[in-house]
Every structure is written in C-alpha cells, then in structure tokens.
Amino acid sequence: MQAINPRTGEADYEFAVTSREDIASEAARLRAAQPAWEALGPEGRAGVMMRFADAIEAAAPAIAGALAVDTGRQAVSWIEIQACVGNIRGWAAKAPSLFAQLPSEVEPSFTPGVEIVPAYSAYPLFGAICPWNFPVILSHIDAVPALMAGCAALVKPSEITPRFVEPMREVLAAVPELPLAYIRGGPEVGQALIEDVDYVCFTGSTATGRKVAEAAARQLIPANLELGGKDPMIITASADPEWAAGVALRSSIVATGQACQSIERIYVARDIAEPFLAHLVEAAEAVAITYPDPAQGHLGPFIFPPQGAKVQAHIDAAVASGARVLTGGQIEQLGGGTYLRPTILTDVTPDMPVMREETFGPVLPVTVYDDLEDAVRQANDTEYGLSAAVLAGSMEEAASIGARLEAGAISLQDGAMTSMVGDAANESRKGSGLGPSRMGDSGLLRFLRRQSLIQQTGAALTIDAYAEGARG
Ligand code: NAD
C-alpha cells in the first residue's frame, strides 16, 4: 500500500500489508506468549511496561519524526508521544492496586450454604483497530490497559498513517517479553484481526463501527466501539463573551478539528451573541496555519486529503441554504497540502449537513438562541452522544444544564476535555459508541473475565430429595 504525505500531497511511502497468514501467525505467537505474561502478575507486568515507556521516550525523535510526516503536524506529534508514555506509566502505577481491590470472596445473597470464590483471568488476545487522527495515542489507549490486565495485544493502526509503526517495532525489540504486535493494512486486515482475537476495541467512524460490531457478533466476541461525534456547546447569557469565544475556538479547531471530541455546534444566548461573535472572529483570524514552516502556526493540513473536500461540501451546502460565512470558508491548497482556516458560520439551520453529520474540520456553526430550553433540545437533537460542553457565569449554572445533555462526557466551563481526563469514566451514547468506558477503572477491568468457584459446604442434593422438593 502507499500512504500520502499530507504536507506535499505525494504518495511517498510504501509499506507491506500484513498477509492473512502472517496475521494468523502473529496471533498464534502472541497467544503462546500470553500465559507467561499473565503469570507475571500486575507488579511484574508493570515493571515491563515501565521499560516499554522508557524505550518509547528514548526513541521519541524517530517516532515523532515519522508521526510528523504521517499527520503533517510537529507539536501535536510530540504531545502524542508524551501522552502515550503518560498513559503507560499511569496504568502501570494504577493496575496493581486495582487487582488488589478485586474481591476474593462473595457473600451469597440468594443461595445459602454455598461459598463463592471468584477468580479473574484476562481475555487471552486483545485486538485494536485504530483511526488516523491521533495515530500513536489511539493505537495504544486501549492496548495498554489490556496488556496491564494480562492480555496479549494485536494492534492495527490506520493505513492512512502507517509510518510510525516502523520505529515502534524497533521499540518492541527492546522489550521482547511484551506480547504486543502491530499489523498493517486496510479494512481486510481489520476484518482478519476480528477473526483472530478474543476481544476487539475499535476507534473510528460510526459507519465502520457498525461493520466491526457485526463481525464481532459473528465471532461472539465483545466489541467496544469509540465512534464519531457532533458535540454541542451551550453558552449562556451570563458567560463572559470574550472568555467563551476563546474556549469555543480552541475546543473546535485543535488538530484542525480532526478530533472526535471537537465542538461541532455552538448555541449562544442572544444577549451576548454580538460580542461573542466579534471576539470569535477576531480570535479565529489570529490563528495561523502551519505553512510553509511546520514548526510555526496552529493548524496543520488535513491528514486525509479527501476529508478537506468533505468539509468544503458541508460549508458550501450550508451557504447554499442561507448560512453566512463570517471568516474562513475556503479550502486552500498550499505546497500540495490541503488547509482550512477557522471557519465561522451563522444563520445555520438544524437540517444542514454541517449541523447533523460529523464535519471533522475547523468549522464552527453558531446558532443564536432565545430560550435555554430550546437550546438544550437542539443540542440533544442528534444521532450522536459522544460529549458536550457548557459555558456559563457560574459552575452551578453550567452543571445544571450539563446534567440534561445526552452524552458521555460533559465539559463544564471548558470544552473538549473528554479524552484528556483519564479518570473520567463515561460511556458514549447513541451513535457515538458501545461498551464499557475506556476511561476510569473499567478501562482495565473490562478485559478480565470472572470465574466463580462455587463451593457446596453442605450436602449435595440427591435426585430423590430434588424430586421431593419439586413436589413441595
Ligand atoms: P474509519 O472508520 O474510516 O477507520 C478506522 C479503522 O477501521 C482503520 O484502521 C480502518 O482500516 C479500519 N477499517 C475500515 N473498514 C473496516 C472494516 N470493514 N472492518 C474492520 N476494520 C475496518 O475511521 P477514520 O476515518 O480512520 O477515523 C476518523 C473517525 O474516528 C471519526 O469519525 C472520529 O470521530 C472517530 N474517532 C473517534 C474517537 C473516539 O474515541 N470516540 C477517537 C478518534 C476518532
């Protein structure tokens, strides 16, 4: 397969797709290594994981270099590596105490006379299918707690961003006892992975998530899905308009809007709409794209160039139906890369694609509301339920509104914090996901299968006693 450099538009990288046979043999190798890995216990595994984190840090320049080409962005590439290392060290520190808290006996409520001793064992082989928007973070966000739980892990990063796998494979060579492997390729490789693992975590679009869930259902394995979003932000009349504009802008455009938790719809109270929009436009126009110098500016190119055309189509359809562009609005081709400056739209209506479908670009459609009830209703009127945000004059006011929003994680007095707060357990709603939370303790505990050793402490029933009991 070939991959495109998002800064030049050129297909300048070729890589071998992992064959069906090689996927099966990697899966078999990992399965064979898993019992010894699980037998190390949480402390033993934590020690190896700490060495894995150290090895990533030592190789950070090579990984960041590859990732910067994959994604067209420099600063975020370093942030991704730091976040990945932090995730590994965080789970390594936390896992032993989580295991220590697992109950070692269960008091029977329904069946007197038995004693129940619970046992816990990891799903042997975990699999991850990952997207292109944060390639390093999202290829490891579930694999790390799965490994800490005692699973072996087979990871398929996106075929759009394959370069970082090479330096990561070198990192793995420094930690040979870690049962982790990467496979590369597109949808067929994803489907093959599902056939070979015992538990799959998928991060990506809602459309692909349905296909993954169907394939997992055929295999009768659990599938956790982390999917797309159309996150709303409500800004009330008591919020400071300049502060709200700054928070709304950052929450919408970080990583060129290519984040599942980006704010994609803004509802602002009419009382402050005028100064809010003025500050928003001013702040948006101060944002620089990272061209020609990738080390300068805020917004990189679209990682996946066809995404730029999709975003433009959302803007054009909105304008054709009466929306106004206050700033931005036009894709720019620079040096072969596809860029979009922050784009602010007003006079949008709920039926427009930019208000219903995931845009995944630095686009802020702003709706002015008169009635807070109506704003809450509109914010909830979506197929998605990943996260949401509220900005108000006080935390109490923001919290009372946030509790009524139908989404997994609600940021109050800030925006788009969903994936940045590791302890904030949440399950996405509606079309945004399925399964136990990847954040919080369940991020690890979901990978443990419970077994009950049911001990009969009295006399086992005879068949005669059973028949008499049944006759009353
Ligand atoms: P995508 O659905 O196109 O692809 C994701 C992965 O699925 C890729 O590795 C791809 O090769 C694989 N795949 C494609 N078809 C498959 C099939 N039929 N069977 C098995 N695997 C298959 O997603 P994308 O475009 O790479 O990523 C962007 C999307 O991811 C956006 O919708 C974004 O919101 C979402 N996302 C969600 C989260 C979250 O935590 N909720 C985080 C980041 C991104």
Side-chain angles (χ1 to χ4, degrees):
M1 277 184 121
Q2 290 188 319
I4 291 172
N5 178 330
R7 297 194 75 85
T8 64
E10 282 169 23
D12 61 0
Y13 184 78
E14 243 177 60
F15 63 98
V17 172
T18 314
S19 68
R20 187 66 191 88
E21 299 70 43
D22 285 351
I23 295 168
S25 66
E26 276 295 62
R29 181 181 69 78
L30 291 169
R31 275 187 192 284
Q34 187 270 337
W37 174 246
E38 188 166 18
L40 281 179
E43 280 84 8
R45 291 194 292 277
V48 178
M49 293 297 276
M50 290 302 233
R51 282 180 30 236
F52 181 42
D54 294 345
I56 293 176
E57 238 169 19
I63 304 167
L67 190 58
V69 186
D70 271 335
T71 60
R73 54 195 191 202
Q74 285 194 348
V76 179
S77 296
W78 283 97
I79 292 170
E80 273 206 60
I81 293 167
Q82 285 161 10
C84 182
V85 166
N87 186 42
I88 296 169
R89 293 195 176 128
W91 277 116
K94 185 183 173 81
S97 67
L98 271 184
F99 274 90
Q101 287 163 26
L102 292 173
S104 55
E105 58 184 305
V106 175
E107 193 61 43
S109 316
F110 301 103
T111 322
V114 299
E115 283 176 12
I116 302 165
V117 178
Y120 305 87
S121 65
Y123 285 92
L125 184 55
F126 159 88
I129 303 175
C130 315
W132 46 258
N133 57 330
F134 290 95
V136 166
I137 291 178
L138 294 173
S139 292
H140 299 92
I141 192 165
D142 299 310
V144 166
L147 284 160
M148 274 313 307
C151 311
L154 187 60
V155 174
K156 190 199 91 60
S158 169
E159 67 276 28
I160 311 294
T161 50
R163 293 168 176 86
F164 80 93
V165 170
E166 271 183 55
M168 282 305 295
R169 281 182 175 155
E170 284 175 31
V171 166
L172 286 186
V175 206
E177 34 325 24
L178 190 66
L180 165 65
Y182 305 99
I183 54 177
R184 295 204 282 190
E188 310 74 28
V189 175
Q191 287 288 321
L193 175 141
I194 297 166
E195 288 169 12
D196 283 2
V197 300
D198 306 305
Y199 195 120
V200 64
C201 283
F202 171 81
T203 308
S205 63
T206 301
T208 309
R210 286 186 206 284
K211 294 179 192 162
V212 168
E214 284 165 10
R218 279 194 295 277
Q219 296 296 122
L220 284 181
I221 61 167
N224 284 179
L225 310 174
E226 300 279 352
L227 308 176
K230 192 73 196 168
D231 290 0
M233 171 179 271
I234 293 180
I235 304 170
T236 71
S238 60
D240 175 70
E242 185 172 2
W243 161 74
V247 175
L249 183 74
R250 191 218 76 228
S251 306
S252 303
I253 68 165
V254 159
T256 315
Q258 303 163 117
C260 56
Q261 59 185 8
S262 283
I263 295 299
E264 295 222 352
R265 295 176 290 147
I266 294 173
Y267 299 92
V268 62
R270 187 170 303 279
D271 294 5
I272 62 159
E274 206 181 307
F276 169 77
L277 281 168
H279 286 299
L280 192 61
V281 170
E282 191 186 342
E285 291 181 346
V287 167
I289 54 176
T290 63
Y291 182 85
D293 181 355
Q296 302 291 325
H298 309 93
L299 294 196
F302 286 102
I303 295 173
F304 183 48
Q307 186 65 30
K310 183 185 159 196
V311 173
Q312 187 70 58
H314 277 193
I315 297 168
D316 293 347
V319 170
S321 304
R324 277 189 306 135
V325 178
L326 298 190
T327 186
Q330 201 58 48
I331 294 284
E332 296 169 59
Q333 296 291 338
L334 297 166
T338 306
Y339 297 81
L340 178 66
R341 292 172 202 274
T343 295
I344 299 170
L345 301 173
T346 56
D347 298 338
V348 289
T349 52
D351 53 319
M352 293 175 177
V354 78
M355 294 294 284
R356 304 216 72 80
E357 299 167 19
E358 189 178 44
T359 304
F360 227 51
V363 179
L364 297 82
V366 180
T367 301
V368 178
Y369 70 82
D370 292 301
D371 173 20
L372 180 63
E373 290 306 310
D374 189 42
V376 170
R377 189 191 54 73
Q378 287 195 57
N380 286 333
D381 178 21
T382 168
E383 296 168 19
Y384 293 103
L386 193 108
S387 41
V390 186
L391 305 182
S394 71
M395 188 62 79
E396 293 67 32
E397 185 190 352
S400 72
I401 298 166
R404 296 164 58 200
L405 297 178
E406 292 165 18
I410 317 290
S411 298
L412 303 177
Q413 307 296 69
D414 201 340
M417 293 198 291
T418 314
S419 69
M420 293 193 270
V421 185
D423 296 311
N426 71 89
E427 276 110 30
S428 293
R429 307 206 178 163
K430 300 190 261 184
S432 287
L434 181 71
S437 173
R438 66 160 47 139
M439 300 298 185
D441 295 352
S442 68
L444 183 151
L445 297 176
R446 62 189 159 151
F447 300 121
L448 294 179
R449 300 169 300 175
R450 279 175 298 180
Q451 190 176 44
S452 285
L453 302 170
I454 306 170
Q455 303 177 2
Q456 176 60 275
T457 56
L461 272 187
T462 62
I463 187 68
D464 289 341
Y466 186 85
E468 278 163 27
R471 280 195 291 271

